[in-house]
Amino acid sequence: MLSPDSAAIVRATLPVIAGAIQDITARFYDTMFADNPELLRDLFNRGNQANGEQRVALAGSIAAFATVLVERPGVLPGTMLSRIANKHASLGVTEEQYAVVHKYLFGAIVEELGDAVTPEVAEAWDEVYWLMAETLIGLERGLYREAGRGWTRATVVERREETADTVSFLLRPDLPMPFLPGQYVSVRVPLPDGARQIRQYSLSNSPERGDWRITVKRVRGEGAPEGEVSTWLYEHVRAGDVLSVSAPFGDLTLPEGDGPLLLASAGIGVTPILSMLDHLLATGSQRRVVVVHADRSPGAHVHREELAELVAALPGATLHRWYEDLPPAQARDAANGAGHATAVGRADMSAIDLPGDVVACLCGPLPFMRAVRAQLVELGVPDSGIHYEVFGPDLWLAAA
Ligand SMILES: Cc1cc2nc3c(=O)[nH]c(=O)nc-3n(C[C@H](O)[C@H](O)[C@H](O)COP(=O)(O)OP(=O)(O)OC[C@H]3O[C@@H](n4cnc5c(N)ncnc54)[C@H](O)[C@@H]3O)c2cc1C
Ligand code: HEM
């Protein structure tokens, strides 16, 4: 908790800091990377730096944390902190690095706000930073203790072309490591300019299978640069190659218990959902599971047959698919058997018979998840029953 004096100062200065936070974080990153270029080259996602997305996520999380501290003393935004800690742990962030971030962040605050940063204001925001940092460090310590830290070699035992733009890799890590369905690993690749960039990929099969599978969608430039790591994996990696991977992390995991589930994905967001379904099958689950998937077209839908097969094999599961572009012949055959429905357009939760106590896991582009969440809330599903994974910096955090 913040001390009462600091809380009063933070409350009074939150609008000034929040108003300038974009400029503060821009200066923070620019100065930190100028003095520590290896952080941009080998740790931070330089694609996100170039398109500005990570800046928004970090800025938003600090403002959100300070707001919770002053408005609801004694309550910590657990979901947000857990998500950040899992991401940090998958990247191998160290305790010492928090002092580095602190130095450049506070340097940037002083530079941007000038005289408004009196010693009392600096001290109060210092307290906010270290409260957040120490909570994250504690969570990360726990994650490292449980899952391990650093990089492991994983041999590619199979490469499969899935759709025109996606490829899956079956990986055998040197050290067998358990994971929960829905978790991801970080993959670190050597790029032609000498950088080693890191990205996260969800494990798309069940833990019971032993080997890990990741499914990678190559990010096409479409006016912007091609995705660096996904393109590298797509173009370079073959069976027999060795990848550098982290232990599995992530907190969008299959909700425990026997209650009904809604597993909703769009596009490549299907990967953690496949792992959950594969696990339910491997454990003989009778659970009621409503599976929703939205995609551009059946041809673009990666693991389309596998998803249908998993649902067909699970006694309590039904599948609802929406395609923006569905050829007329397929639209005619759309109602293709019990438990399966295919429709044209965007996913529509009001068309599904959802149990009242359903718990939802969403994964896909933000507009898809926002639309599904809004519909679920309208249908009476509480916010606490809606979990999600974002395949990039979590801009929901910024809005939290
Ligand atoms: C928890 C989690 C799980 C994930 N699971 C999966 C998964 O199962 N499968 C999967 O395929 N992906 C997954 N992802 C996404 C994955 O981690 C990568 O983000 C994705 O592969 C793109 O990385 P990249 O290096 O190819 O693109 P990047 O090089 O990071 O580029 C990202 C975007 O930035 C744009 N960009 C780059 N430079 C500039 C510039 N100078 N100006 C403007 N725009 C620019 C690019 O055009 C691109 O649109 C997951 C992400 C997370 C966080
Ligand atoms: C209190 C201090 C910190 C806060 C509030 C913070 C906050 C965040 C947030 C909100 C994200 C995005 C998470 C997501 O959307 O998944 C993130 C990611 C990240 N953080 Fe931190 N962080 C802190 C400290 C650090 C430190 C010390 C380092 C190491 C130098 C670090 C390195 C990273 C990296 C590399 C990413 C991923 C970037 C990307 O993929 O673009 N962070 N952090």
Side-chain angles (χ1 to χ4, degrees), residues 5-26:
D5 286 355
S6 294
I9 294 173
V10 167
R11 192 176 290 113
T13 50
L14 234 175
V16 185
I17 299 266
I21 206 132
Q22 300 279 359
D23 294 334
I24 291 169
T25 44

Side-chain angles (χ1 to χ4, degrees), residues 123-159:
E123 205 177 302
W125 279 92
D126 232 43
E127 219 179 306
V128 172
Y129 177 85
W130 284 113
L131 262 179
M132 191 164 184
E134 275 157 17
T135 314
L136 288 171
I137 288 170
L139 291 171
E140 286 154 28
R141 224 181 262 149
L143 289 167
Y144 288 137
R145 218 174 15 245
E146 256 173 51
R149 173 193 211 130
W151 300 96
T152 304
R153 288 159 41 97
T155 305
V156 179
V157 291
E158 190 187 330
R159 171 192 164 110

Side-chain angles (χ1 to χ4, degrees), residues 97-374:
Q97 285 170 331
Y98 279 87
V100 177
V101 164
H102 175 263
K103 173 177 162 193
Y104 291 95
L105 189 56
F106 279 73
I109 291 177
V110 170
E111 287 292 318
E112 284 297 326
L113 300 182
D115 292 345
V117 190
T118 61
E120 293 75 25
V121 170
E123 205 177 302
W125 279 92
D126 232 43
E127 219 179 306
V128 172
Y129 177 85
W130 284 113
L131 262 179
M132 191 164 184
E134 275 157 17
T135 314
L136 288 171
I137 288 170
L139 291 171
E140 286 154 28
R141 224 181 262 149
L143 289 167
Y144 288 137
R145 218 174 15 245
E146 256 173 51
R149 173 193 211 130
W151 300 96
T152 304
R153 288 159 41 97
T155 305
V156 179
V157 291
E158 190 187 330
R159 171 192 164 110
R160 274 181 68 151
E161 316 291 327
E162 301 289 353
T163 66
D165 274 339
T166 50
V167 60
S168 63
F169 301 103
L170 206 57
L171 307 177
R172 188 164 299 159
D174 275 4
L175 295 171
M177 282 180 271
F179 70 94
L180 296 170
Q183 289 193 305
Y184 56 82
V185 292
S186 280
V187 178
R188 184 176 65 169
V189 309
L191 293 167
D193 68 348
R196 286 187 307 175
Q197 282 277 294
I198 304 169
R199 300 290 183 272
Q200 291 70 44
Y201 293 97
S202 298
L203 296 167
S204 64
N205 61 352
S206 100
E208 287 76 14
R209 290 189 183 268
D211 289 337
W212 296 345
R213 186 182 67 180
I214 59 171
T215 307
V216 178
K217 179 173 186 212
R218 165 188 199 158
V219 173
R220 298 277 181 188
E222 290 163 8
E226 301 256 291
E228 283 201 281
V229 173
S230 62
T231 304
W232 190 90
L233 290 167
Y234 189 95
E235 288 183 346
H236 289 89
V237 177
R238 299 285 177 272
D241 290 347
V242 172
L243 291 176
S244 184
V245 297
S246 73
F249 291 99
D251 55 4
L252 179 84
T253 55
L254 185 70
E256 286 177 4
D258 293 328
L261 296 170
L262 169 68
L263 305 181
S265 58
I268 190 65
V270 73
T271 47
I273 305 296
L274 287 169
S275 175
M276 294 180 187
L277 290 170
D278 200 18
H279 171 73
L280 289 171
L281 185 61
T283 52
S285 171
Q286 305 282 317
R287 220 164 158 175
R288 171 133 190 236
V289 192
V290 177
V291 181
V292 164
H293 185 81
D295 227 306
R296 275 203 322 282
S297 66
H301 180 171
V302 62
H303 297 303
R304 180 168 182 261
E305 279 171 21
E306 184 178 322
L307 185 68
E309 283 164 15
L310 283 167
V311 171
L314 282 164
T318 53
L319 176 62
H320 305 260
R321 293 178 297 201
W322 276 267
Y323 297 108
E324 286 179 37
D325 180 10
L326 190 63
Q330 289 187 37
R332 246 195 336 272
D333 301 335
N336 50 2
H340 285 58
T342 306
V344 188
R346 304 232 158 150
D348 178 9
M349 295 307 106
S350 66
I352 303 174
D353 183 20
L354 284 176
D357 54 345
V358 76
V359 173
C361 295
L362 319 181
C363 190
L366 274 176
F368 163 81
M369 294 200 289
R370 284 204 179 101
V372 170
R373 184 172 84 161

Side-chain angles (χ1 to χ4, degrees), residues 49-78:
Q49 287 297 324
N51 67 27
E53 290 198 351
Q54 166 60 20
R55 295 176 181 215
V56 181
L58 178 77
S61 79
I62 292 176
F65 185 77
T67 307
V68 173
L69 282 183
V70 295
E71 285 181 1
R72 293 157 63 204
V75 176
L76 286 179

Side-chain angles (χ1 to χ4, degrees), residues 369-393:
M369 294 200 289
R370 284 204 179 101
V372 170
R373 184 172 84 161
Q375 286 194 318
L376 292 177
V377 169
E378 210 161 280
L379 291 168
V381 180
D383 242 358
S384 59
I386 306 175
H387 309 283
Y388 66 91
E389 185 70 87
V390 186
F391 278 5

